[in-house]
Amino acid sequence: MEFINLKSYGDGTESSGQVRVLGTLPEQLNGRAVLLVDDILDTGRTLHFARALVTGLGANPVRICVFLDKPSRRAVAMTADHVGFQIEDRFVVGYGLDHAKRWRGLPDLATID
């Protein structure tokens, strides 16, 4: 198991549109099957970037699993192979999701208005 830290949100509720890599990347994935797991598929930019990144490192096949899918916000053509729940266009926090490093520890999902 490897972890890739990517960031496209700052302290706001909108993606910056720029995906940044935080930390190190796996050295080699040549011929390895990869499952990318993410909390939410929103604009699609981060997962599109991640898929291109691991594909460029030789991963094949690459599949995507997300807890939440928000298709109405898609800015990049992207679908997940496995989806927990599809949600409306609301900013959600809790259950591991945060806003400006707050509300991540809520035991339930909540929305910010």
Side-chain angles (χ1 to χ4, degrees):
M1 183 180 305
E2 297 276 348
F3 292 91
I4 301 173
N5 264 328
L6 303 176
K7 183 174 185 172
S8 67
Y9 280 79
D11 289 340
T13 59
E14 292 290 324
S15 171
S16 68
Q18 300 294 318
V19 180
R20 296 179 305 151
V21 176
L22 306 174
T24 60
L25 296 174
E27 291 186 20
Q28 186 182 75
L29 297 174
N30 197 27
R32 310 265 326 246
V34 169
L35 177 65
L36 293 172
V37 179
D38 204 354
D39 53 6
I40 189 165
L41 174 51
D42 188 4
T43 64
R45 289 184 185 107
T46 302
L47 281 168
H48 184 268
F49 181 91
R51 183 172 59 191
L53 188 65
V54 298
T55 300
L57 292 170
N60 186 28
V62 177
R63 298 180 60 86
I64 296 172
C65 176
V66 296
F67 175 46
L68 302 172
D69 183 16
K70 200 186 304 185
S72 64
R73 298 257 310 145
R74 213 68 92 238
V76 174
M78 174 65 58
T79 58
D81 300 292
H82 309 282
V83 175
F85 302 95
Q86 192 173 88
I87 62 171
E88 299 293 319
D89 184 11
R90 305 289 304 273
F91 195 90
V92 293
V93 295
Y95 206 69
L97 300 160
D98 72 281
H99 172 258
K101 300 180 183 171
R102 298 184 314 191
W103 301 304
R104 179 181 296 271
L106 292 175
D108 301 301
L109 289 176
T111 61
I112 293 180
D113 293 320

